[in-house]
Amino acid sequence: MASPEVTSMLAALSDSSSPQSNKSSTGYTDLLNQITSTPDSPQLIPNLTAFIDAILGETLGIVAARPLLASAVTAIKTLSSPEAKIEVGTHALRALESRGVSFEEQDAELRYALADAYEAREDWLESAKVLQGIQLESSQRRIDDHEKVGTWIRICRLYLEDDNTTTAETYLNRAKNSLYKVDDLVLKINFQLSRARILDSQKKFLEASSAYHSISFIPSIDEEERLKTLSMAITCAVLAPAGPQRSRCLAKLYKDERATQVQEFGILEKMFLDRLLSTEEVDKFAAGLSPHQLAKTADGSTVLAKAVVEHNLLSASRLYSNIGVNELGVLLGLDAEKAEEYASAMLQQGRLSGRIDQIDGVIFFDGRHGLQAVGKELRKWDGKVQGVAEEVERVASMLQAQYPVSLSQRLCGWFAEGYDRILPLLIWSK
């Protein structure tokens, strides 16, 4: 309850006020300054609520009440406690319910202040709901595109924090339609990051990886944050279904020079080089995943477990020309029937080349016969030669940078001695 002093002053102002009374407006302003001059007073909250009730009553006209309400909203913003902001702000919103059209600008400012208070308490859902009440398509006040897009993206990010990707995507789509009208780099970065997080939550991991990777190249972002988004890009690529598209994505990430600086580089390297993953490596990687990335799929397995099984199956196709279904099950840590199901699904989807002989219980990979086998071996050979050439060029560049004069002389000596005898050895060692 408000203090007796404030109650009596409000009663006096109410009795002498009229819609055209400048004296009354000055009196209310002086009273608000008096209330906020003691921020540690236990009567601060009831005094503010009583003040808001008084200016939104019938004694003041709309023209006189607007600046007073704006001053009250400013006073609410200065409150140090989020709980105090929420208590006073919620009371003010209830008082404005029937007169919101006349006080749209003050209502919007009040809702922004309330949203900040809820965010401080990590109450993402309530913060989003408060912001949703702001009239962004109104004829009563001028609202620029920057405020609209900024509010929509903020609501989107709050719903993402609350794991509500469906509603978050709705507001992201609203922002997308007006984003081209805004020239604000921070808003555009937040939009891209929100889009990547939605794709990640929807388990569209290849698209999410590409989105995160693009963000990691934005120079205005702090280096630590750029490495974090690169790490998220690698994580999404690892979780994506095995196949040619993921292989291209892994290659792009593996060739990124910054990849060695992130913790996920070990599993990225093994997947890119088509090496089998051990249980220990998978468990270590799983420890850093988000809850939605560990969710169960329709067959009862996790997204990660399915991705690892498909990767190991693809790696096995690189190691063997054919393998028995039972042996493949042992290799994948599954029973024979489940291993055959995975192989069959990947063959049907075009993510694995080969055929299954169900009578003999054998899987033949990639049709290693005739011209197909020859073509594949030639491509392998070309890849080895290219890899060795790139490695030699890299080493030569490093030496040239450190010994710019002596290196050229040494290279001439090497070629004179017969560099052609060294190259085959390098290729085979590769």
Side-chain angles (χ1 to χ4, degrees):
M1 186 174 179
S3 64
E5 181 183 1
V6 171
T7 303
S8 62
M9 292 181 68
L10 286 172
L13 288 169
S14 176
D15 290 341
S16 62
S17 64
S18 67
Q20 306 299 326
S21 175
N22 292 328
K23 181 179 177 181
S24 172
S25 297
T26 304
Y28 279 109
T29 302
D30 293 340
L31 177 58
L32 179 61
N33 292 334
Q34 181 181 334
I35 293 172
T36 56
S37 63
T38 54
D40 298 327
S41 171
Q43 295 294 320
L44 177 62
I45 293 176
N47 285 344
L48 271 176
T49 54
F51 178 84
I52 291 170
D53 287 339
I55 62 175
L56 292 178
E58 300 297 329
T59 57
L60 282 175
I62 294 175
V63 175
R66 279 175 180 166
L68 291 173
L69 182 57
S71 299
V73 172
T74 303
I76 293 172
K77 291 180 180 179
T78 60
L79 297 176
S80 57
S81 168
E83 287 73 18
K85 289 182 181 178
I86 291 171
E87 185 176 346
V88 180
T90 305
H91 180 87
L93 281 183
R94 285 198 297 266
L96 280 170
E97 282 181 355
S98 59
R99 306 181 67 186
V101 177
S102 303
F103 298 94
E104 281 191 2
E105 187 169 349
Q106 291 76 22
D107 179 82
E109 290 300 320
L110 179 60
R111 289 179 180 277
Y112 285 129
L114 263 178
D116 292 337
Y118 280 122
E119 279 193 61
R121 294 200 318 179
E122 297 187 1
D123 193 343
W124 317 118
L125 181 59
E126 287 301 321
S127 181
K129 286 181 177 179
V130 167
L131 291 175
Q132 281 181 282
I134 298 175
Q135 295 294 329
L136 295 175
E137 303 290 346
S138 171
S139 59
Q140 300 295 320
R141 67 186 184 105
R142 184 180 179 277
I143 307 170
D144 59 23
D145 293 313
H146 186 278
E147 182 180 352
K148 291 181 183 178
V149 173
T151 303
W152 286 329
I153 291 177
R154 185 177 178 183
I155 295 172
C156 170
R157 297 181 69 186
L158 288 168
Y159 274 116
L160 282 175
E161 293 295 336
D162 195 54
D163 293 328
N164 188 342
T165 55
T166 304
T167 309
E169 189 176 17
T170 300
Y171 282 92
L172 188 75
N173 290 334
R174 291 188 187 181
K176 179 175 64 176
N177 295 331
S178 301
L179 190 65
Y180 71 94
K181 302 176 184 177
V182 177
D183 188 17
D184 187 322
L185 182 59
V186 175
L187 277 183
K188 291 182 177 180
I189 291 173
N190 285 332
F191 175 85
Q192 293 181 53
L193 188 58
S194 298
R195 176 177 172 272
R197 290 181 61 185
I198 289 174
L199 292 171
D200 186 358
S201 299
Q202 292 175 338
K203 298 182 179 60
K204 298 178 180 179
F205 292 118
L206 280 177
E207 296 175 63
S209 177
S210 178
Y212 281 130
H213 197 209
S214 298
I215 296 170
S216 72
F217 287 111
I218 299 176
S220 59
I221 300 178
D222 183 72
E223 180 65 25
E224 183 178 349
E225 292 299 319
R226 289 165 64 186
L227 287 176
K228 185 177 178 180
T229 54
L230 176 62
S231 173
M232 296 164 77
I234 294 174
T235 298
C236 289
V238 169
L239 294 173
Q245 287 185 325
R246 192 190 70 161
S247 297
R248 288 193 291 271
C249 184
L250 291 172
K252 183 171 63 174
L253 292 167
Y254 183 74
K255 292 177 182 178
D256 192 319
E257 296 178 352
R258 304 167 298 163
T260 55
Q261 302 177 42
V262 300
Q263 187 178 2
E264 294 80 6
F265 178 73
I267 195 168
L268 169 66
E269 184 176 37
K270 281 207 164 187
M271 282 199 159
F272 173 71
L273 298 175
D274 292 326
R275 296 173 182 170
L276 294 172
L277 295 172
S278 65
T279 304
E280 293 77 13
E281 291 170 323
V282 175
D283 291 341
K284 182 180 178 181
F285 176 75
L289 295 181
S290 302
H292 73 272
Q293 294 171 334
L294 293 170
K296 299 283 186 179
T297 59
D299 59 1
S301 62
T302 64
V303 176
L304 176 61
K306 187 174 181 179
V308 170
V309 168
E310 290 181 350
H311 166 76
N312 284 342
L313 179 53
L314 204 58
S315 299
S317 72
R318 305 287 193 269
L319 294 172
Y320 303 102
S321 297
N322 56 75
I323 188 172
V325 174
N326 292 325
E327 288 75 12
L328 180 62
V330 173
L331 186 66
L332 300 179
L334 304 170
D335 57 67
E337 183 179 355
K338 199 71 175 176
E340 185 178 346
E341 285 181 12
Y342 271 99
S344 175
M346 292 182 69
L347 286 169
Q348 290 177 0
Q349 295 166 6
R351 295 187 287 132
L352 183 68
S353 299
R355 59 189 175 87
I356 300 177
D357 187 338
Q358 291 185 313
I359 296 177
D360 294 334
V362 178
I363 301 176
F364 295 89
F365 294 117
D366 203 31
R368 291 171 180 255
H369 58 275
L371 295 176
Q372 291 184 358
V374 174
K376 183 169 183 180
E377 293 305 319
L378 286 175
R379 287 194 298 273
K380 280 187 175 181
W381 175 259
D382 290 343
K384 289 182 179 180
V385 173
Q386 181 181 354
V388 171
E390 290 176 351
E391 189 68 18
V392 170
E393 182 181 1
R394 186 181 68 84
V395 173
S397 299
M398 293 171 60
L399 291 173
Q400 181 68 42
Q402 192 167 1
Y403 309 104
V405 178
S406 58
L407 177 63
S408 59
Q409 297 174 352
R410 292 181 184 180
L411 286 175
C412 292
W414 290 343
F415 281 110
E417 292 174 5
Y419 186 70
D420 56 327
R421 292 180 297 175
I422 302 174
L423 183 60
L425 296 177
L426 289 172
I427 293 174
W428 284 112
S429 65
K430 186 71 176 179

